[in-house]
Amino acid sequence: MKKWFVIPAVLVVLLAGSAAALLLSLNSLIVREVNSVGPELTGTAVRLEKADVSLFSGTGVFTGFIVGNPKGFTDTPALSVGSLGLELVPSSVLEDTVVIPKIEIIRPDVLYELAEDTSNIETILKHVRNVAEKKKAGSGEAAQAEPSADAQKKLRKKVIIDELIIREAKATLLIPALKLSVSVPLPEIRLTGIGREGSGVTLAQGVVIVLREMKTALESATVSFREKQLREA
């Protein structure tokens, strides 16, 4: 084999290996960032087991994503997602605003735990809203710590989400004081044009929008469940 042919072949192999290593590093970096920044955003435990993102195809799948319950509530996770898929515009990853045409969350387990004057989802939402608005948590709130400067910088990264779908959710209404735990139907949640009106929203602002919609759906499902109970009583 001619040397002039061997050299380009070796370069191709090295480049292919470097690209593979870069993708592996990217996915491990995503997992590390979610697991470190997530708790500072929600004020609860957050764990992502695996990320499989391809900047070539602009698609990604995240598996084993869990958001824990706030302090003062049960140990059951507030949200558990087996698989979350997304599409993104690869070129936007290096820009100020990441463009995500679609996020789809299928069959998540959602816990809606009611306490005396609040809920687990409301508590998480309040913490995320404080982060989004750069406010410190109040003395009576479950999470006291203010996000680190590094986390705040990362959470200021902007996104545009054209479509976000949560479907086939398994929602559980839990009221420990009444020793009540029952499944409630959660309708499909579909949000469009998040951040499209301006130059995008920050990651924290985006999470506020999604949690707010989820909280509304859970509250509506709870009201429907109670009305059904009254009719059948």
Side-chain angles (χ1 to χ4, degrees):
M1 184 180 292
K2 300 287 187 180
K3 286 186 177 180
W4 60 265
F5 182 78
V6 171
I7 293 174
V10 171
L11 286 175
V12 168
V13 171
L14 289 174
L15 288 173
S18 298
L22 177 62
L23 287 177
L24 289 173
S25 299
L26 170 67
N27 289 319
S28 61
L29 175 63
I30 291 172
V31 171
R32 188 165 63 248
E33 290 298 302
V34 169
N35 292 340
S36 64
V37 177
E40 300 196 60
L41 174 63
T42 65
T44 69
V46 172
R47 187 177 81 244
L48 174 64
E49 290 183 0
K50 184 180 179 182
D52 187 5
V53 178
S54 171
L55 293 182
F56 298 122
S57 64
T59 60
V61 176
F62 302 94
T63 53
F65 180 63
I66 292 176
V67 177
N69 239 1
K71 291 181 181 177
F73 292 86
T74 59
D75 293 333
T76 305
L79 176 66
S80 179
V81 180
S83 180
L84 183 158
L86 64 79
E87 300 171 10
L88 56 83
V89 177
S91 60
S92 70
V93 173
L94 300 177
E95 302 294 332
D96 293 334
T97 303
V98 178
V99 180
I100 304 174
K102 186 176 183 179
I103 296 178
E104 190 168 22
I105 305 171
I106 304 175
R107 291 184 293 277
D109 287 319
V110 182
L111 177 69
Y112 186 44
E113 183 176 344
L114 298 182
E116 184 176 349
D117 57 354
T118 187
S119 71
N120 60 335
I121 302 299
E122 173 64 31
T123 302
I124 294 173
L125 174 58
K126 191 175 294 183
H127 190 280
V128 177
R129 188 183 290 122
N130 285 339
V131 173
E133 297 174 357
K134 300 179 183 178
K135 294 179 181 178
K136 292 185 178 180
S139 58
E141 295 178 20
Q144 303 286 325
E146 186 178 4
S148 64
D150 183 53
Q152 288 180 11
K153 180 180 179 181
K154 292 170 182 174
L155 291 169
R156 283 197 295 270
K157 181 72 174 180
K158 290 191 173 183
V159 294
I160 290 174
I161 305 173
D162 289 320
E163 184 178 38
L164 185 144
I165 303 169
I166 303 175
R167 60 185 178 89
E168 300 176 37
K170 178 185 175 184
T172 300
L173 170 64
L174 177 64
I175 308 179
L178 301 179
K179 297 182 179 180
L180 174 68
S181 177
V182 62
S183 294
V184 293
L186 191 67
E188 179 179 290
I189 296 174
R190 185 181 296 263
L191 299 170
T192 59
I194 298 175
R196 269 294 174 194
E197 291 186 0
S199 58
V201 295
T202 65
L203 289 172
Q205 290 169 339
V207 174
V208 166
I209 292 170
V210 176
L211 281 177
R212 193 169 54 208
E213 191 70 21
M214 183 180 291
K215 174 175 171 284
T216 299
L218 287 165
E219 288 174 342
S220 178
T222 301
V223 170
S224 297
F225 168 75
R226 287 175 171 171
E227 288 176 347
K228 181 181 178 182
Q229 275 192 319
L230 290 174
R231 287 195 302 269
E232 294 175 350

